[in-house]
Amino acid sequence: MSYCLRCGLCCKETEMLLANADIERLERKGYSKAFFVQFDSAGYAKLRNHRGYCVFYDTERKRCKVYRDRPLGCRLYPVIYYEEKGIDMDALCPAKNKWNREQIKEKGKKVIKLLKTIDEEAKQRYTNSALSNNTN
Ligand code: SF4
């Protein structure tokens, strides 16, 4: 179910983390990794921005160009994980009050699972790059 108002706020200056499955799915759709992925120094993969918005956000039509194949984090949004308080709705989302407790809890479990996967994948990437630096 989606209560999205298509305001585009969540796609503005995105910091959405990507799982390997997201990267592979979007590559299969013909997008190069260099176009949409940015890796940080700890090995995390994030969506790239272009002119202030996610590279996949169409600012004229106000929609996601890869909506059907969008990253899992985008699907689970506006439920996010806060360091201090855990799972909750993103305070920025104008549709945040439309979600009930049960829906938030259900999506929250998926967010936690996704973050675990993303953490493991980042750790693996970091280890692999450290190993290759040591052998060069
Ligand atoms: S992939 Fe789509 S939904 Fe996700 S941040 Fe980019 S434009 Fe928005």
Side-chain angles (χ1 to χ4, degrees):
M1 183 181 298
S2 174
Y3 300 116
C4 183
L5 303 172
R6 295 175 68 179
C7 66
L9 277 177
C10 54
C11 309
K12 193 174 180 180
E13 296 291 358
T14 183
E15 294 187 1
M16 184 58 73
L17 293 168
L18 299 170
N20 285 345
D22 296 322
I23 298 173
E24 286 157 19
R25 186 171 61 260
L26 288 160
E27 280 187 304
R28 280 198 300 275
K29 289 286 158 182
Y31 296 99
S32 78
K33 211 186 271 185
F35 170 71
F36 69 93
V37 189
Q38 187 169 10
F39 293 100
D40 70 15
S41 56
Y44 285 87
K46 289 181 180 176
L47 276 171
R48 274 187 188 280
N49 285 287
H50 175 66
R51 295 188 176 160
Y53 284 87
C54 169
V55 289
F56 291 122
Y57 187 68
D58 182 335
T59 48
E60 277 175 28
R61 301 169 95 180
K62 294 186 185 301
R63 61 174 200 169
C64 174
K65 290 181 198 164
V66 293
Y67 189 78
R68 293 175 72 166
D69 298 295
R70 69 197 186 284
L72 192 50
C74 299
R75 288 169 197 267
L76 296 171
Y77 186 87
V79 177
I80 59 170
Y81 179 80
Y82 289 90
E83 286 287 334
E84 326 77 51
K85 56 178 177 173
I87 291 295
D88 206 347
M89 302 298 279
D90 187 346
L92 278 181
C93 177
K96 61 182 176 295
N97 295 328
K98 294 184 185 279
W99 298 79
N100 66 40
R101 278 282 127 204
E102 209 44 54
Q103 289 170 314
I104 297 170
K105 200 172 148 192
E106 198 182 303
K107 278 201 175 215
K109 283 185 201 158
K110 292 180 184 168
V111 169
I112 298 285
K113 194 172 167 207
L114 174 64
L115 287 176
K116 269 190 192 157
T117 302
I118 287 174
D119 278 346
E120 281 161 19
E121 290 172 351
K123 205 166 155 190
Q124 192 66 55
R125 235 177 256 125
Y126 181 83
T127 308
N128 290 348
S129 81
L131 284 175
S132 83
N133 284 343
N134 280 342
T135 53
N136 287 336

